[in-house]
């Protein structure tokens, strides 16, 4: 059974709340920009996370994995700069 758009957004926010303390400990943050077609999440890394060389890997592995844990139907996570 798939979630409604509201449930997806709520669960994506929960996932970001789980990730945020790790980013904030490095002086960074993450914002949810949009969720397209209930399958593609756009986020923006902020603060020290912007110029950080590991951020693309961090985003793909950590953020995508955490979001998919909460919302299995999400297919991709895109970082919008």
């Amino acid at each position: 059974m798939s979630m409604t758009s509201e449930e997806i957004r709520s669960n994506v926010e929960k996932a970001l709340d789980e990730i945020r303390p790790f980013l904030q400990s490095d002086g960074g943050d993450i914002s949810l920009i949009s969720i397209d077609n209930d399958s593609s999440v756009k986020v923006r890394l902020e603060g020290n996370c912007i110029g950080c060389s590991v951020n693309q890997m961090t985003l793909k592995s950590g953020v995508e994995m955490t979001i998919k844990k909460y919302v299995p139907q999400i297919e991709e996570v895109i970082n919008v700069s």
Side-chain angles (χ1 to χ4, degrees):
M1 186 183 119
S2 63
M3 298 182 208
T4 65
S5 296
E6 288 76 25
E7 288 170 322
I8 289 170
R9 175 170 285 274
S10 167
N11 280 308
V12 168
E13 290 283 9
K14 282 183 198 151
L16 295 183
D17 285 342
E18 185 178 311
I19 297 158
R20 202 163 269 126
F22 298 104
L23 296 177
Q24 287 172 342
S25 69
D26 289 327
D29 207 347
I30 190 164
S31 299
L32 175 60
I33 304 303
S34 65
I35 302 171
D36 303 322
N37 304 320
D38 292 343
S39 66
S40 174
V41 175
K42 288 193 176 120
V43 295
R44 180 180 290 129
L45 287 168
E46 292 163 359
N48 288 347
C49 296
I50 295 169
C52 164
S53 58
V54 296
N55 75 9
Q56 288 307 324
M57 226 171 77
T58 303
L59 184 81
K60 276 297 174 204
S61 57
V63 178
E64 195 163 286
M65 191 178 74
T66 305
I67 289 175
K68 285 178 174 177
K69 184 174 79 180
Y70 283 88
V71 194
Q73 72 201 64
I74 294 298
E75 285 162 20
E76 60 177 351
V77 177
I78 300 161
N79 180 31
V80 182
S81 52

